[in-house]
Amino acid sequence: MTVVTRFAPSPTGFLHIGGARTALFNWLYARHTGGKFLLRIEDTDRERSTQEAIGAIMESLAWLELDADEEPLFQSTRAERHAEVAREMLAAGKAYHCYCSPEELQAMRDAARAEGRPVRYDGTWRDRDPSEAPSDIKPVIRLKAPQEGETKIIDRVQGEVTVANAQLDDLILLRSDGTPTYMLAVVVDDHDMGITHVIRGDDHMTNAFRQTQIFEAMGWDVPVFAHVPLIHGPDGAKLSKRHGAVGAEAYRDMGFLPEAMRNYLLRLGWGHGDDEIIATDQAIAWFDLDGIGRSPSRFDMAKLTALNLHYMKQADDARLARLTAPLLASRLGRDLSERDMAVLTDAMPSMKERAKTLLELAEQTEFYFHARPVTPDEKAAKVLTPEARSAIGEMADELSAVAEWTPEAMEALVRGYAERAGLGLGKVAQPLRAALTGRTVSPPVFDVMAVFGREESLARLREAAVA
RNA sequence: GACCCCUUCGUCUAGCGGUCAGGACACAACCCUUUCACGGUUGAGACACGGGUUCGAUUCCCGUAGGGGUCGCCA
């Protein structure tokens, strides 16, 4: 049997972190088994579904590089098929018309709650003669769910979970306006799409029982379920906007790499021994449902950040430059030229291991693109004492004579200068740094000079020397 | 309230009857060092509680407590 998984978001908002992980797990499982990963947009709530949300979700999935094997299916296009299944169940005696008004139902729920009884539909119309039906009310179609016994689901994460059928009521399949409910639509679509494995959030656990009843009423195979525990915020409560409940694209904007995000999300609720750094191809080879934990986990930005540093160090320089460019452009208030891009790429080897995000990369490489004369910040200005300036001038003269403009040659020269002056390297490097970058923090000064090139470096040093 | 699920360092987790309870992030100290980082070494830090079962429970069972989820003509 070929595995077919699906990710089925409802487009009422962005793709939040939990959804992103659900998508990742479905994608990984399909890739691991050589199966298919499908996408279904559950847009049956026309009030709340928006085009913007669809766009945001697709964009986030694209950013995370979770590619579906087929074009996304829009659930709203399948309403006729859903209604047809409802009518089929009606004809087979598996469903019935219910004429209760929303007000009556609400009263029923309120009463039940007040008396401390389970809140359920009481089956008023379950066995009532259709001739008693009021002519002025459009009925809904309800599932004639079993009232005795129990419904069991086999869940690859939660194990065997059983609930007494008495706990479940006759859910609505088709609304009075003839449109399908979520419960019906999901089952019909999962069946028609050939979904074999339903991997989704824990919040759908109770839905699994009701959906199983529909599958069984239709005589369809029930897919394998895997209900993944939810992700909570750092405080253990539900994810709120303050922490993880922002869209996945927000993490892109914060300067995280998609591969870091995937690795982080993978390790949140899934483990493979002591392994922490798990590249995507390795994840595909290793991922299995048995590795999913049963307890909810908390979102931890620090760990994501640490992972991001790791992947940044490994990332290709040109790619990092490309990703950093727009962030840098917005800091500088101008676009980067081809020449700028070359400088940025050259700057990456010494830069990428000291920045945790692309945002930091942009911030820390910014000085390369500030035109001369250098404007030192407060700390750098303090370093540039008159003595330091004259030393910078002397070093500039010596440096101008260096044959090869390499970090090694420059370092040898400056070390020699420091020794003759009876100073540590730090004493002379800081003024150089301040003169070159206008800051007191930067990559090693000789790397910086190599990136700037001979001409630009000497110009900066000489300006600092005479200032 | 009813039903269902969960509970190992602060966080993510390993563990699947006998372990000095391991790793990672974060934290602290030290080393490295031209600044900041990276890196390295070391340290502190956990089996929610109470009963069983067993020669022996973190591990199995039952309670308690705490947390979470679900109870719509929303998805």
Side-chain angles (χ1 to χ4, degrees):
Chain A
M1 178 184 69
T2 306
V3 166
V4 183
T5 66
R6 63 13 173 224
F7 178 58
S10 57
T12 53
F14 40 55
L15 178 67
H16 57 84
I17 221 67
R21 186 184 59 168
T22 299
L24 174 69
F25 282 12
N26 276 285
W27 182 84
L28 280 174
Y29 193 61
R31 294 291 168 267
H32 173 74
T33 56
K36 278 197 205 177
F37 169 62
L38 306 181
L39 208 56
R40 185 172 71 223
I41 305 296
E42 311 223 311
D43 57 347
T44 52
D45 184 341
R46 282 149 214 169
E47 301 277 296
R48 297 199 299 150
S49 299
T50 67
Q51 201 56 46
E52 296 71 58
I54 293 172
I57 290 167
M58 299 302 284
E59 202 182 315
S60 291
L61 290 174
W63 175 60
L64 288 166
E65 298 165 310
L66 303 179
D67 54 314
D69 291 304
E70 290 175 14
E71 285 305 300
L73 177 77
F74 288 83
Q75 195 159 54
S76 57
T77 63
R78 309 233 328 138
E80 194 35 54
R81 164 66 177 152
H82 300 147
E84 174 191 315
V85 171
R87 284 193 297 270
E88 231 176 90
M89 283 200 264
L90 202 56
K94 303 281 191 185
Y96 62 93
H97 285 299
C98 166
Y99 295 86
C100 287
S101 67
E103 295 71 34
E104 283 176 275
L105 294 173
Q106 192 53 51
M108 203 182 288
R109 282 190 287 266
D110 291 345
R113 223 180 281 272
E115 292 169 37
R117 295 195 327 265
V119 181
R120 297 191 299 263
Y121 172 63
D122 64 6
T124 304
W125 289 91
R126 186 178 166 104
D127 298 307
R128 206 136 145 197
D129 197 296
S131 63
E132 296 176 45
S135 56
D136 57 333
I137 291 181
K138 285 194 151 187
V140 298
I141 295 180
R142 283 184 185 271
L143 175 73
K144 198 176 239 176
Q147 292 177 307
E148 315 267 296
E150 47 193 29
T151 296
K152 180 166 79 179
I153 65 166
I154 313 282
D155 192 287
R156 288 291 298 279
V157 176
Q158 311 291 343
E160 250 184 44
V161 188
T162 303
V163 74
N165 285 333
Q167 293 296 329
L168 273 17
D169 60 3
D170 292 343
L171 68 269
I172 293 173
L173 297 167
L174 210 62
R175 300 182 190 114
S176 52
D177 67 358
T179 60
T181 59
Y182 162 80
M183 220 57 84
L184 205 223
V186 166
V187 170
V188 174
D189 290 346
D190 279 343
H191 175 263
D192 289 358
M193 291 166 82
I195 303 300
T196 60
H197 295 254
V198 173
I199 304 168
R200 72 222 311 189
D202 214 355
D203 49 337
H204 287 284
M205 194 69 187
T206 53
N207 291 338
F209 294 106
R210 325 190 80 128
Q211 288 163 12
T212 294
Q213 291 184 333
I214 300 176
F215 276 111
E216 285 172 349
M218 287 302 291
W220 291 340
D221 286 340
V222 181
V224 173
F225 291 111
H227 288 96
V228 185
L230 302 179
I231 299 173
H232 294 156
D235 54 358
K238 213 170 176 173
L239 227 37
S240 76
K241 288 202 184 74
R242 287 195 13 257
H243 9 275
V246 293
E249 79 280 354
Y251 292 91
R252 176 198 58 198
D253 297 342
M254 283 183 249
F256 291 102
L257 257 20
E259 60 267 40
M261 196 68 191
R262 268 182 263 131
N263 194 153
Y264 177 70
L265 255 17
L266 174 66
R267 284 286 294 102
L268 203 56
W270 183 86
H272 185 272
D274 281 343
D275 297 299
E276 296 288 346
I277 303 290
I278 305 171
T280 300
D281 52 350
Q282 189 60 260
I284 289 171
W286 282 343
F287 188 78
D288 69 282
L289 269 18
D290 301 318
I292 300 175
R294 284 151 303 272
S295 52
S297 43
R298 302 181 187 201
F299 188 80
D300 180 17
M301 189 74 98
K303 191 145 187 175
L304 204 210
T305 304
L307 243 9
N308 202 57
L309 173 72
H310 170 83
Y311 284 100
M312 293 238 299
K313 281 197 282 187
Q314 293 209 321
D316 173 72
D317 294 335
R319 175 183 172 223
L320 284 178
R322 202 172 61 244
L323 293 172
T324 305
L327 304 172
L328 196 49
S330 84
R331 293 185 72 87
L332 294 169
R334 64 174 174 85
D335 287 337
L336 296 190
S337 67
E338 225 169 282
R339 158 92 191 125
D340 290 335
M341 285 307 289
V343 169
L344 189 55
T345 305
D346 286 346
M348 282 304 160
S350 61
M351 208 64 184
K352 64 186 181 186
E353 67 179 30
R354 36 183 41 83
K356 290 182 163 61
T357 64
L358 296 171
L359 231 38
E360 285 187 16
L361 215 42
E363 198 178 294
Q364 292 172 19
T365 47
E366 193 180 342
F367 74 85
Y368 279 118
F369 307 97
H370 286 161
R372 276 180 283 132
V374 174
T375 312
D377 65 22
E378 210 176 306
K379 285 179 185 167
K382 277 196 188 134
V383 172
L384 293 170
T385 58
E387 302 77 55
R389 288 184 188 280
S390 73
I392 289 169
E394 288 168 29
M395 283 189 276
D397 289 341
E398 292 191 25
L399 282 164
S400 67
V402 80
E404 298 279 328
W405 195 254
T406 61
E408 296 73 28
M410 291 183 258
E411 179 168 350
L413 191 146
V414 173
R415 271 189 192 281
Y417 177 88
E419 256 174 60
R420 287 194 304 278
L423 296 168
L425 188 52
K427 285 276 184 259
V428 295
Q430 268 316 75
L432 288 178
R433 187 186 323 279
L436 290 159
T437 70
R439 305 179 176 192
T440 52
V441 173
S442 84
V445 286
F446 308 113
D447 289 323
V448 171
M449 284 197 274
V451 171
F452 270 133
R454 185 191 294 262
E455 198 182 327
E456 178 70 20
S457 298
L458 291 176
R460 288 182 179 232
L461 294 180
R462 289 200 161 115
E463 282 179 4
V466 301

